[in-house]
Amino acid sequence: SQQGEEDPQALSIQEGENATMNCSYKTSINNLQWYRQNSGRGLVHLILIRSNEREKHSGRLRVTLDTSKKSSSLLITASRAADTASYFCATHTGTASKLTFGTGTRLQVTL
Amino acid sequence: EAQVTQNPRYLITVTGKKLTVTCSQNMNHEYMSWYRQDPGLGLRQIYYSMNVEVTDKGDVPEGYKVSRKEKRNFPLILESPSPNQTSLYFCASSTRTGGNYGYTFGSGTRLTVV
């Protein structure tokens, strides 16, 4: 069962532009996390935002969380070709012993 | 280097031939989990373990077994693989409970069952 749903499914931008990806979820969460996956490789944890937080930064990444709309966004500023990857949001809910992942946004950054 | 190590990276096998995918982490994490990733379905949890000798089913446990005899290892066993288990498998670990902290993932095992 999928909790998070990313939008758009695919995004193509030029190097130097900003990339924004959105995630919507269905039930109340403890936290929401963003991961990056390079083609066929393991996922890499980027950032975690807790339900009582509204915004978080890490380097060129900015994550916002709106619990009233059950949505989050990931902004990558000044994108680079190396940012080309799939990005997944994952939610942790209640006492669940797992993260539930969305189907991801595929980001292509061209030179 | 802190990491989760999965082996093998690629595996092609025939229907019904038992196989084991190994997973080992060097971070002393209590929590470990297996996911499978399929196109259009995202990542789905197969099994997880909160600590040694404590395992439980995830969302898609049918056809899989796991064990957690040591803290660092969490092998995934397919007793009688079938073609619908062809997938990309990931092992992940985390400190404490599964979800309150970020996961560290292995590099994945691409399994093909013919």
Side-chain angles (χ1 to χ4, degrees):
Chain A
S1 58
Q2 267 147 31
Q3 161 81 311
E5 204 166 299
E6 288 91 343
D7 171 60
Q9 289 190 339
L11 180 60
S12 184
I13 60 173
Q14 291 194 315
E15 205 171 44
E17 294 180 335
N18 295 341
T20 300
M21 288 158 266
N22 302 298
C23 171
S24 59
Y25 57 91
K26 296 172 185 161
T27 61
S28 296
I29 59 171
N30 299 326
N31 68 67
L32 185 144
Q33 304 179 27
W34 285 91
Y35 288 79
R36 184 186 74 234
Q37 182 183 32
N38 292 92
S39 180
R41 306 293 296 186
L43 283 77
V44 175
H45 181 253
L46 297 175
I47 199 163
L48 181 154
I49 187 165
R50 301 196 187 278
S51 60
N52 61 353
E53 298 175 311
R54 290 297 167 257
E55 188 170 312
K56 232 174 164 177
H57 297 256
S58 176
R60 294 184 296 113
L61 305 180
R62 172 177 168 248
V63 169
T64 61
L65 179 64
D66 187 334
T67 53
S68 67
K69 294 181 180 177
K70 292 187 170 58
S71 68
S72 173
S73 67
L74 170 67
L75 169 67
I76 304 174
T77 60
S79 62
R80 306 165 181 167
D83 294 327
T84 294
S86 291
Y87 292 82
F88 294 85
C89 68
T91 53
H92 182 232
T93 60
T95 57
S97 298
K98 67 175 180 182
L99 291 179
T100 301
F101 287 82
T103 52
T105 292
R106 193 176 310 149
L107 173 66
Q108 176 78 41
V109 181
T110 56
L111 295 170
Chain B
E1 181 191 350
Q3 60 186 358
V4 175
T5 303
Q6 284 180 240
N7 280 298
R9 281 278 288 135
Y10 300 93
L11 180 58
I12 301 174
T13 190
V14 296
T15 298
K17 186 176 181 182
K18 181 179 178 179
L19 66 91
T20 299
V21 183
T22 63
C23 174
S24 180
Q25 50 93 5
N26 62 359
M27 296 164 282
N28 202 37
H29 283 168
E30 289 87 355
Y31 179 89
M32 297 185 75
S33 183
W34 278 101
Y35 283 82
R36 61 178 288 175
Q37 184 177 28
D38 301 288
L41 296 177
L43 281 89
R44 293 178 292 168
Q45 190 186 51
I46 303 170
Y47 268 95
Y48 66 92
S49 169
M50 300 290 277
N51 215 322
V52 175
E53 302 292 2
V54 181
T55 63
D56 211 342
K57 297 176 181 179
D59 295 320
V60 288
E62 295 77 20
Y64 304 95
K65 282 176 57 176
V66 293
S67 68
R68 187 93 181 270
K69 293 186 172 59
E70 306 163 283
K71 198 172 188 179
R72 62 184 292 125
N73 296 323
F74 190 46
L76 179 70
I77 303 156
L78 285 73
E79 294 267 357
S80 182
S82 63
N84 65 10
Q85 292 178 298
T86 292
S87 187
L88 181 56
Y89 291 86
F90 290 103
C91 180
S93 74
S94 178
T95 188
R96 297 181 187 169
T97 58
N100 281 327
Y101 301 87
Y103 285 11
T104 302
F105 278 84
S107 296
T109 295
R110 189 170 291 279
L111 172 65
T112 302
V113 183
V114 298

